Amino acid sequence: MSLRVNLIKEPEQRSGSSLNAKSITRIASIVMPVALALLIAQQALSSFMLSSQLSILESQWFAVEPKQKQAIKQTARLNFNKKTLEELDGWPAARLDWNQNLAAIMQAVPDTIQLTSLRVILEAPPANARPAVGSLSRDYQLSLDGVTRVPDSMQVVQALEANLRRHPILHPLIETVTVANFAADDASDDKSSRVFTIQCKFKSPPHKEMR
Amino acid sequence: MSFTDLKKRMKKGPTEVIGIDFGKSDTKVVRLRKNGDVIVMDGAELLPALSAGGGFTLPPKLKARCAALAVSSSTATAKLLTFPGAVDAAFESSLAKNLGQDVGDDDRMAYRIITEGSARVESRVLAAAIPESDAAPVMALFQVGLPAPRSLELASLAALTAFEAGPVLHGASPAAAMIDFGTESSTLSIFHKQTLVLLRRFDFGTRKLLDRVTSTLHIDADTALNILADNAFDISELISEIMSPLSNQLIVSRDFVERRENCNLRQLHCIGGLVSSPAAMQQLERSLNIEIKSFDPFTIPGLQTDAVEDQRDGSQHWRFTAAIGAALGALQEER
């Protein structure tokens, strides 16, 4: 236990340290407002710079925005035109010489058969069966409707089917030949009259590479 | 943590301080600094007394930022007050009255609680007062600049701090006593179980002994001092006669403490001018039937004095007791 009985008066007592509560308070009373003012000034300057940058970027955007919209439109148009071009390119690739094919059909049809209808259906292949990008293909299907009035009409129709399959011109083109319909002719009084439908599926022509 | 607590924390105690004892004969200055758990004494100097004129200038090697001051005053008062109950505002208001009639309105007063009492336990308070006319000239020396004053004490009480740090805290016996022979008066202090239990001042100083020797032997003061110091003449009877009242008072005080505290005082440590007189010390030893020792503050445990040991005569170390005590008190300041 200290026995010191201190007779000094409070105003006389000094710490002797260059750093005491009083000096810290004095320094802080100067430094803190200055630091605060500097901080506020720095924030204000930063805000001003950001604001000016924003206005510059906005003016640049206003200049660019119409061009960007125009570019989007032109891109869409370009894509549409490309598709159209592809479609148009597909046509010559899928073209068949129908003058030869029709002459071959004419030769394959027996004399006892009267064709009532010849239809050629051009179909695009289904989406999941499309060839690789850059190539085009068209599928042709030939449908022949006819009437025969002979007693052995069934054999005649089968002969037509066989002729179509074996014809030297048609043979390389045709993939399948099927008799889709063979029935009595309701429209005729002749009981031996029969109507039939033969469907020929053409092979897909060779794919053409896109430009 | 409140702002007051924060403020207290910032009031860190000093790590180096000079202790200055403004005495009647000379000014004693020591420089102490903390170095871990030990305290190092960097310097100790005797300077001319303020009363000799010539102002006060510190040697460069003794300069520090803080100063702990001790002053000797024949009109100062120091008392160990004992009273029932706790220390309260009523005690503070009656402090001057408790210190005695000598205390004037403009005197500086302060106290330290030694034992805090309660309803059934007595309070023990060490109180001191000094006339402003004695304190002001000293404080005027430290109004501006460095060193900055941290404390002002009575030299007799500052010496107690040094004594407490030595024999009281580190002595073999639970009871320890010291007498400070001043120029005008002497102060006896007795500690028991490391607590101050008695403080008495006697109107007996070295001047009284010196005056009596000079008048009896019809010699001048310097010759009387030499006779007292070298023991060349047998003046034991004269000394015995002069010191008899003091010896009796010391015996009464010692017996009082031994009875009250149930202790046995085996040694009496002495400081002051009378320590230089072997005859006076022998007379005291015979009267009290107790071992008389000169207290050397340079031997306080934990105080390193290597830097000053070769500069000073060991028999004069006691002169720095109050200065060392004042400096120690400042270094022990609580944060």
Side-chain angles (χ1 to χ4, degrees):
Chain A
M1 173 186 280
S2 175
L3 291 171
R4 188 172 70 166
V5 180
N6 198 349
L7 293 159
I8 202 167
K9 292 177 179 173
E10 200 168 339
E12 295 170 338
Q13 195 171 30
R14 292 184 281 129
S15 74
S17 169
S18 52
L19 200 64
N20 52 34
K22 204 171 181 179
S23 64
I24 288 172
T25 308
R26 278 182 188 167
I27 292 167
S29 67
I30 297 167
V31 170
M32 288 294 284
V34 170
L36 200 62
L38 285 174
L39 187 69
I40 290 168
Q42 190 258 339
Q43 290 294 324
L45 189 66
S46 172
S47 168
F48 175 73
M49 287 175 71
L50 284 173
S51 173
S52 65
Q53 273 186 347
L54 180 65
S55 63
I56 289 168
L57 289 172
E58 275 181 349
S59 64
Q60 285 177 349
W61 171 248
F62 289 144
V64 169
E65 191 181 17
K67 290 181 184 175
Q68 190 232 15
K69 284 181 179 173
Q70 197 177 358
I72 291 169
K73 278 181 186 174
Q74 285 182 348
T75 305
R77 201 169 164 185
L78 176 67
N79 290 336
F80 175 75
N81 289 344
K82 275 184 180 176
K83 280 186 180 176
T84 307
L85 187 61
E86 285 173 8
E87 192 69 22
L88 291 174
D89 282 342
W91 283 105
R95 191 182 69 83
L96 294 175
D97 294 332
W98 280 101
N99 56 338
Q100 293 178 11
N101 294 345
L102 288 174
I105 291 167
M106 190 174 68
Q107 291 167 5
V109 175
D111 296 339
T112 53
I113 285 179
Q114 180 189 356
L115 292 182
T116 57
S117 166
L118 185 151
R119 284 170 293 159
V120 177
I121 303 162
L122 182 62
E123 288 182 340
N128 55 0
R130 276 179 184 273
V133 176
S135 63
L136 284 170
S137 177
R138 291 291 183 277
D139 291 337
Y140 289 92
Q141 195 167 333
L142 174 66
S143 181
L144 295 172
D145 294 332
V147 179
T148 180
R149 292 186 181 86
V150 292
D152 52 346
S153 55
M154 183 63 185
Q155 290 175 353
V156 173
V157 171
Q158 285 177 342
L160 174 59
E161 181 191 358
N163 290 344
L164 289 171
R165 190 175 289 132
R166 292 175 193 152
H167 195 279
I169 293 174
L170 296 176
H171 174 71
L173 301 175
I174 290 176
E175 186 177 333
T176 57
V177 180
T178 53
V179 178
N181 183 34
F182 182 81
D185 185 5
D186 296 336
S188 175
D189 294 333
D190 190 353
K191 290 187 177 178
S192 61
S193 181
R194 297 287 185 271
V195 293
F196 66 90
T197 302
I198 291 179
Q199 289 183 339
C200 302
K201 188 178 180 185
F202 281 69
K203 293 177 182 174
S204 295
H207 296 163
K208 181 186 177 185
E209 292 299 319
M210 291 296 295
R211 287 172 294 184
Chain B
M1 182 188 294
S2 68
F3 182 72
T4 313
D5 294 335
L6 191 68
K7 207 173 165 186
K8 275 182 184 174
R9 274 177 167 267
M10 288 188 71
K11 283 188 175 178
K12 188 183 172 185
T15 55
E16 58 178 38
V17 66
I18 51 171
I20 309 174
D21 173 17
F22 293 97
K24 297 279 183 193
S25 56
D26 40 33
T27 299
K28 282 78 74 175
V29 186
V30 295
R31 186 179 190 279
L32 302 187
R33 68 179 159 86
K34 278 182 186 171
N35 185 10
D37 291 336
V38 298
I39 293 172
V40 179
M41 188 187 292
D42 292 324
E45 289 289 337
L46 286 174
L47 304 177
L50 282 182
S51 56
F56 173 73
T57 308
L58 277 171
K61 68 175 183 179
L62 292 179
K63 285 188 175 172
R65 303 193 75 85
C66 305
L69 312 176
V71 62
S72 299
S73 167
S74 56
T75 49
T77 308
K79 282 187 178 178
L80 184 65
L81 304 172
T82 304
F83 55 92
V87 178
D88 50 16
F91 165 77
E92 286 201 19
S93 60
S94 61
L95 183 58
K97 184 181 165 189
N98 289 329
L99 278 169
Q101 293 178 345
D102 296 341
V103 177
D105 292 338
D106 64 336
D107 285 10
R108 294 175 183 226
M109 287 182 288
Y111 67 90
R112 177 170 290 273
I113 300 169
I114 304 296
T115 308
E116 178 76 64
S118 60
R120 294 183 178 180
V121 181
E122 286 185 330
S123 291
R124 194 171 285 161
V125 173
L126 181 60
I130 186 171
E132 185 63 29
S133 56
D134 287 344
V138 171
M139 294 312 302
L141 300 171
F142 302 94
Q143 279 183 338
V144 290
L146 296 176
R150 290 190 76 91
S151 61
L152 175 68
E153 294 180 80
L154 298 183
S156 56
L157 296 188
L160 292 187
T161 302
F163 183 66
E164 186 194 33
V168 174
L169 294 180
H170 300 96
S173 171
M178 181 178 78
I179 185 163
D180 179 3
F181 294 108
T183 308
E184 304 290 343
S185 61
S186 300
T187 306
L188 172 70
S189 54
I190 301 178
F191 292 81
H192 182 237
K193 292 181 180 174
Q194 302 181 354
T195 303
L196 183 66
V197 293
L198 182 129
L199 181 75
R200 279 196 70 182
R201 196 165 90 161
F202 307 105
D203 290 329
F204 176 88
T206 50
R207 187 179 299 281
K208 187 177 251 183
L209 181 64
L210 205 60
D211 289 346
R212 186 71 186 275
V213 172
T214 53
S215 62
T216 306
L217 300 178
H218 304 290
I219 53 176
D220 58 24
D222 290 337
T223 310
L225 271 175
N226 287 334
I227 290 172
L228 281 170
D230 60 20
N231 226 7
F233 291 83
D234 183 10
I235 53 170
S236 56
E237 281 192 21
L238 176 63
I239 289 177
S240 175
E241 181 194 338
I242 299 168
M243 291 187 66
S244 179
L246 173 68
S247 298
N248 292 335
Q249 290 292 323
L250 291 176
I251 290 166
V252 169
S253 299
R254 180 196 62 184
D255 292 348
F256 169 71
V257 169
E258 285 184 343
R259 275 199 306 276
R260 193 179 65 177
E261 302 292 331
N262 191 23
C263 62
N264 186 16
L265 202 62
R266 294 172 184 168
Q267 287 181 332
L268 177 63
H269 294 82
C270 303
I271 58 172
L274 215 61
V275 174
S276 304
S277 171
M281 293 296 102
Q282 287 161 10
Q283 165 58 29
L284 209 57
E285 200 163 37
R286 277 196 299 273
S287 304
L288 294 173
N289 194 23
I290 197 172
E291 184 186 359
I292 303 294
K293 289 181 74 176
S294 172
F295 172 59
D296 182 355
F298 283 38
T299 61
I300 290 172
L303 179 65
Q304 285 187 356
T305 57
D306 299 345
V308 295
E309 204 63 63
D310 55 341
Q311 299 173 13
R312 303 239 63 85
D313 175 10
S315 64
Q316 300 297 310
H317 285 171
W318 61 265
R319 289 181 180 275
F320 297 96
T321 306
I324 290 172
L328 283 177
L331 290 176
Q332 290 168 358
E333 269 181 27
E334 289 178 3
R335 291 183 64 169

